[in-house]
Amino acid sequence: GRIPGMLAKTFRAFERRDKSTGVLLSGERGMGKSMFARLAVSEALKLKIPVILLTGSCGVDDAVEIINQITQPIVVVMDEFEKNFPMESDDNDDDEKKGKQQKFLSMLDGMGSPEKRLFIATVNDTSDLSTFFLNRPGRFFYHFEFNTLTHEEMREYLEGECDRKIVKKKTID
């Protein structure tokens, strides 16, 4: 469906831009966000670009510090960002005390390091993100929404499923 085009657009922007590029993938479960992320990882590895997967088990401060020390282009994938790094009460405040999500803001802006990075974050619901992620295009250059399948995608999926069942049935007979 749409994913190959979005993926090509993402890597063209990453190649063209002289700074970091953020991509936010939001929407319902099962609509293709993680598939996009997996395909992006495959593409990065084909291009010999290292990939880092951030999960909730890593400390935010350590993760940001390590990523900021890397001196080459990288891809950073943060799947299920809002679950792995849940919003805290002070993530929407402007004060000095920062919650988990706010600690990623300067990294996404490229303030911690001048190196070029591609950040890919998946979320089910953008209301679980700090407002500071969504109010600046510099943080997420693209926001792809995965809310419904197109008629073409549904047809393609159903035809694929029907073909598999017919093949299975024929091989059993």
Side-chain angles (χ1 to χ4, degrees):
R2 306 170 295 155
I3 292 176
M6 291 187 292
L7 200 57
K9 185 177 185 177
T10 296
F11 276 90
R12 276 194 310 270
F14 179 61
E15 183 179 306
R16 180 179 74 241
R17 292 167 48 94
D18 61 351
K19 55 186 170 184
S20 292
T21 302
V23 178
L24 178 63
L25 311 171
S26 68
E28 300 294 320
R29 286 179 227 214
M31 292 292 125
K33 299 180 304 292
S34 294
M35 178 187 291
F36 179 102
R38 282 193 299 275
L39 291 171
V41 166
S42 294
E43 183 64 21
L45 294 176
K46 279 185 209 170
L47 297 170
K48 306 224 182 298
I49 301 170
V51 176
I52 295 174
L53 175 63
L54 291 184
T55 64
S57 62
C58 66
V60 176
D61 293 324
D62 291 337
V64 170
E65 184 180 333
I66 289 168
I67 289 169
N68 284 338
Q69 290 177 15
I70 297 171
T71 59
Q72 69 184 79
I74 59 172
V75 174
V76 179
V77 177
M78 301 172 283
D79 198 22
E80 296 190 340
F81 182 81
E82 82 283 20
K83 291 178 185 164
N84 285 312
F85 305 102
M87 189 166 39
E88 296 172 347
S89 61
D90 49 0
D91 273 317
N92 285 318
D93 294 342
D94 251 344
D95 63 13
E96 290 297 312
K97 186 179 177 198
K98 294 181 178 180
K100 282 183 182 178
Q101 288 189 6
Q102 262 199 13
K103 292 178 182 180
F104 285 103
L105 297 177
S106 62
M107 182 180 74
L108 289 168
D109 282 340
M111 300 300 286
S113 170
E115 303 305 325
K116 190 168 149 166
R117 287 127 173 46
L118 175 58
F119 295 102
I120 298 172
T122 71
V123 298
N124 289 331
D125 187 352
T126 57
S127 69
D128 292 332
L129 286 180
S130 165
T131 57
F132 295 112
F133 280 104
L134 303 173
N135 66 0
R136 268 206 196 137
R139 294 189 177 128
F140 289 115
F141 192 71
Y142 292 122
H143 178 184
F144 297 127
E145 295 182 71
F146 292 76
N147 291 322
T148 59
L149 296 175
T150 66
H151 289 291
E152 185 178 312
E153 290 166 329
M154 285 188 267
R155 183 181 344 242
E156 185 178 312
Y157 174 78
L158 291 171
E159 286 172 355
E161 286 300 304
C162 290
D163 288 346
R164 273 187 276 240
K165 288 185 176 153
I166 290 170
V167 168
K168 281 184 179 178
K169 186 175 180 181
K170 284 183 180 178
T171 57
I172 292 172
D173 292 342

